[in-house]
Amino acid sequence: MSSGNDRQPQTLTKPALGEREAAELVDRVFGLKVVWIRSLPSYDDQNFHVRVSAEGADEYVLKITNSEDSQEPDLIEAQTQAMMFLSVEGFPSATPYLTKDGNIMSLESRGTTPGSKKYMVRLLTYLPGTPVAKITTNAQILYEIGRLAASVDKVLSEKFQHPSVKSLHRGQFIWNLANVPLLDQYIYALGQNKYRAVVEQVIEQFKGKVIPKLSSFRACINHGDLNDHNILVESSSASLENPQYRVSGILDFSDMSYGYYVFEVAIVIMYMMIESPDPLSVGGHVLAGFESILPLTAEERGALFLLVSGRFAQSLVIAAHTALQYPENKEYLTITAKTGWKHLMTMFEVGQKAVEKMWFETGQAYTYHTPAP
């Protein structure tokens, strides 16, 4: 769910290549003959699942970045280098197939006229697994995802070095959690209703209670979008009554930016709530996994409720705004909204103290009993 450094969502220009055009691109840029191709859902880029071998062993994702983000080659370089770094470090991250020129990406024009849009193109290894959105989550996988989020941010922040990393200082990037106050300019997309009133309350509380405390949070590099569609899992047990899962893939690094460790756990909690039958309990299991790697400080814990609420607000407001710009993609853009509004309203009805009590008591219970791997 990305947008560029300092630009706003309404300027997004999503690619719209057909399958034949995409297959020809793979041949021309990467020197591979596509034998099978299908479009994958996406927010503001365009993705295709391609197979280049009749045996089906060689599968990739062709990622065509929107024309605005394509003007930020250093940023895309940083994202791709981070994926390669994490793969070397043992994380289930995709890696790029090099172009015929030996590069990890290529800027391609669509059309030959002077004003033709240019798109950055990459071919990434296809990762197996089922999106978390398609399974019934349980305490075990929520804990594992919490551990994963902390581990990814920790290793990126402590060990990832590349000249392009400076591009992750993304200023007014709309999806960075520090920028919840920027939602003021898009809130009109909600119309006038009870939902808008709650979002306005979130924004005002965020300005007053979170923004002044940012300097006390521990800074890091955030993946920034570990949502229920960007984490793939595979079953690690045959039990139908008590299924166990392992993470088999981490997708979509386009929202990477410098932020804070507590941002990542808040983002994960919010997205794991979306598909859960018991959403308010989710936070404790995710938090326990995260804190098994990186315990939060008192200041970070105190901001968690508003950070989760802030991510709900970002997702719901930006989706509503972008759906007005791209009505043909409305169904995908508003996936989160189907249950997101209900969960945000419930959080505010139950109240911060009660929700935090539930999260922290669940997390504390893991001190005495850690789930089996």
Side-chain angles (χ1 to χ4, degrees):
M1 297 184 178
S2 75
S3 50
N5 269 13
D6 297 306
R7 84 190 148 73
Q8 308 308 336
Q10 71 266 30
T11 64
L12 285 174
T13 306
K14 183 174 178 172
L17 278 69
E19 290 182 354
R20 177 179 292 182
E21 198 176 356
E24 290 171 351
L25 194 63
V26 173
D27 185 4
R28 178 165 54 81
V29 177
F30 301 96
L32 298 173
K33 298 289 185 186
V34 172
V35 298
W36 179 91
I37 184 169
R38 72 177 176 90
S39 179
L40 295 170
S42 60
Y43 200 83
D44 51 23
D45 299 328
Q46 192 175 20
N47 302 321
F48 292 91
H49 179 188
V50 302
R51 191 173 291 152
V52 298
S53 154
E55 288 74 39
D58 297 323
E59 298 181 68
Y60 298 94
V61 172
L62 175 66
K63 190 164 189 68
I64 306 166
T65 301
N66 68 79
S67 61
E68 294 292 331
D69 280 354
S70 292
Q71 297 174 39
E72 305 271 1
D74 283 353
L75 183 60
I76 301 174
E77 172 89 16
Q79 295 160 4
T80 313
Q81 291 290 342
M83 293 160 64
M84 296 163 68
F85 166 79
L86 287 172
S87 180
V88 170
E89 290 289 319
F91 292 86
S93 174
T95 54
Y97 185 93
L98 298 184
T99 69
K100 288 195 287 188
D101 297 330
N103 299 313
I104 63 173
M105 58 189 183
S106 178
L107 189 63
E108 298 293 322
S109 294
R110 190 182 185 201
T112 55
T113 59
S116 294
K117 288 194 166 33
K118 290 182 162 58
Y119 303 106
M120 197 66 79
V121 174
R122 287 170 292 169
L123 194 64
L124 305 174
T125 50
Y126 181 81
L127 299 175
T130 302
V132 170
K134 300 282 180 66
I135 68 166
T136 302
T137 55
N138 57 24
Q140 177 263 334
I141 190 58
L142 292 172
Y143 181 91
E144 290 303 322
I145 290 169
R147 280 181 64 88
L148 173 79
S151 301
V152 165
D153 283 15
K154 188 171 189 287
V155 75
L156 283 174
S157 301
E158 293 178 354
K159 296 176 66 176
F160 177 51
Q161 294 180 326
H162 190 270
S164 62
V165 77
K166 62 183 180 295
S167 66
L168 298 177
H169 291 285
R170 299 180 71 176
Q172 299 295 96
F173 179 48
I174 194 66
W175 286 105
N176 188 299
L177 255 180
N179 291 328
V180 165
L182 294 181
L183 295 177
D184 277 335
Q185 59 195 301
Y186 306 113
I187 204 168
Y188 75 91
L190 300 180
Q192 295 289 344
N193 52 45
K194 62 180 180 179
Y195 295 143
R196 176 169 176 157
V198 169
V199 169
E200 287 173 340
Q201 188 179 344
V202 170
I203 295 170
E204 288 312 304
Q205 289 191 27
F206 202 96
K207 289 176 182 175
K209 297 179 180 178
V210 175
I211 297 299
K213 291 185 178 177
L214 288 178
S215 61
S216 70
F217 299 161
R218 290 166 299 165
C220 71
I221 296 173
N222 288 141
H223 174 284
D225 198 16
L226 290 173
N227 68 46
D228 48 334
H229 293 271
N230 285 343
I231 300 173
L232 304 177
V233 297
E234 289 183 331
S235 175
S236 59
S237 74
S239 170
L240 294 177
E241 294 77 23
N242 184 29
Q244 303 285 294
Y245 298 97
R246 66 176 185 85
V247 175
S248 60
I250 309 166
L251 307 179
D252 197 352
F253 286 71
S254 58
D255 282 4
M256 279 182 69
S257 66
Y258 274 99
Y260 303 91
Y261 285 116
V262 69
F263 282 10
E264 199 76 88
V265 67
I267 289 167
V268 173
I269 288 173
M270 177 263 165
Y271 284 117
M272 293 305 111
M273 287 175 68
I274 293 298
E275 302 293 339
S276 174
D278 186 14
L280 290 185
S281 71
V282 162
H285 303 295
V286 172
L287 181 62
F290 194 93
E291 290 200 308
S292 71
I293 303 294
L294 280 164
L296 298 183
T297 65
E299 291 87 354
E300 291 164 343
R301 277 186 156 221
L304 197 55
F305 178 89
L306 279 175
L307 287 170
V308 173
S309 303
R311 186 53 163 206
F312 268 118
Q314 284 180 316
S315 181
L316 294 164
V317 171
I318 296 170
H321 173 82
T322 310
L324 292 178
Q325 314 300 312
Y326 297 94
E328 72 281 359
N329 201 28
K330 183 176 180 179
E331 184 176 355
Y332 181 79
L333 291 169
T334 56
I335 284 174
T336 300
K338 291 175 182 175
T339 50
W341 282 119
K342 182 174 69 174
H343 295 343
L344 178 60
M345 302 296 279
T346 300
M347 283 180 66
F348 270 74
E349 287 163 8
V350 173
Q352 180 169 348
K353 284 188 177 178
V355 172
E356 286 179 341
K357 184 172 185 288
M358 193 182 308
W359 289 348
F360 298 152
E361 286 182 355
T362 300
Q364 181 66 23
Y366 280 85
T367 305
Y368 311 106
H369 173 67
T370 301

